[in-house]
Amino acid sequence: LDGVPVHHVPHGIDLERYKPLDKNACRQALDIPKDATVVMFSSADDLSKSAWKGGPLLLDILKGLDKQTETPIHAIVLGKGNIDALGRLKNLVVHHMGFIHGENLVPALYSAADLLIYPTKADNLSLVLIEAIACGLPVVTFDIGGNSDIIDHSENGFMVPPFDIEAFVQKTLELLNDADKRRAFSNASRRAAETRFALKDMAAGYYRLFREITA
């Protein structure tokens, strides 16, 4: 694209819909104890078969968490199908939500969690990550594709070398075991969403671009 003008207009979402909600109220609605440790995973693909969105890697990560904790970890899992082996992990309480139609419930699911684990193998600009940070959720994900445009390492989440399961598990535990760090990352997540991914800013960016072109 040498000599070709490039215009960067980040994809925006509705930050009035995707925003932090009362965590205790969201957990009560989902029948999750208010003092529980809660991780979340989301994919629109089939959980057990997805070659790209990390479903098979999710099992390896949750196995690693299960081995290194003596207290229950609740996992909110969104996506088609099921991963049967998750039910055999001794310290894992799985909440299979299936494929969620519509957007009304999704912000409550994000808000009920302590962090999002997203072991994707390929992504450009992940809507899941944008929605998660808009709801104030810290993220652990692979440093792959466009994830680094959304997650600032050690500020609103952790970027892990691609497919390093052990590093992924350790960074997840680091956040789960540090409430102060989670709180700081949560605040930074929402700020990042407001700064980069507001729907109104996307609209304004395209409007300025189209005005420039037509002029």
Side-chain angles (χ1 to χ4, degrees), residues 100-113:
I100 304 297
H101 295 273
E103 297 180 302
N104 292 333
L105 179 60
V106 178
L109 296 171
Y110 286 125
S111 296

Side-chain angles (χ1 to χ4, degrees), residues 1-188:
L1 296 177
D2 224 14
V4 177
V6 175
H7 301 268
H8 180 216
V9 182
H11 186 80
I13 64 172
D14 184 354
L15 297 180
E16 288 302 309
R17 177 184 295 274
Y18 289 94
K19 61 184 179 182
L21 303 175
D22 182 88
K23 189 175 295 293
N24 288 339
C26 293
R27 290 186 175 187
Q28 183 177 11
L30 295 169
D31 198 25
I32 296 175
K34 67 178 182 180
D35 58 348
T37 299
V38 185
V39 299
M40 179 176 170
F41 170 83
S42 178
S43 172
D45 295 331
D46 190 295
L47 292 169
S48 62
K49 300 176 183 177
S50 171
W52 302 111
K53 294 304 180 183
L57 295 179
L58 174 67
L59 177 58
D60 293 334
I61 290 166
L62 292 177
K63 282 181 177 178
L65 293 174
D66 186 62
K67 289 179 181 177
Q68 298 190 45
T69 182
E70 295 299 323
T71 57
I73 294 177
H74 290 248
I76 300 172
V77 179
L78 279 66
K80 301 172 185 175
N82 205 340
I83 303 177
D84 294 332
L86 292 181
R88 296 192 288 272
L89 300 181
K90 63 178 182 177
N91 292 316
L92 197 73
V93 182
V94 182
H95 303 264
H96 280 292
M97 304 303 298
F99 181 77
I100 304 297
H101 295 273
E103 297 180 302
N104 292 333
L105 179 60
V106 178
L109 296 171
Y110 286 125
S111 296
D114 291 310
L115 61 89
L116 178 80
I117 54 176
Y118 192 62
T120 181
K121 292 182 177 181
D123 251 305
N124 43 28
L125 193 72
S126 168
L127 272 177
V128 169
L129 295 188
I130 297 174
E131 292 169 358
I133 66 168
C135 293
L137 201 57
V139 173
V140 181
T141 190
F142 288 131
D143 187 2
I144 205 164
N147 292 351
S148 59
D149 289 336
I150 305 167
I151 305 304
D152 301 311
H153 182 68
S154 294
E155 292 186 24
N156 65 347
F158 287 127
M159 302 286 288
V160 177
F163 320 132
D164 188 337
I165 299 299
E166 180 59 28
F168 203 111
V169 170
Q170 293 308 314
K171 286 301 183 184
T172 300
L173 288 171
E174 181 177 333
L175 272 176
L176 291 179
N177 293 329
D178 192 334
D180 290 337
K181 183 172 288 188
R182 286 202 312 274
R183 194 175 301 110
F185 279 26
S186 175
N187 292 335

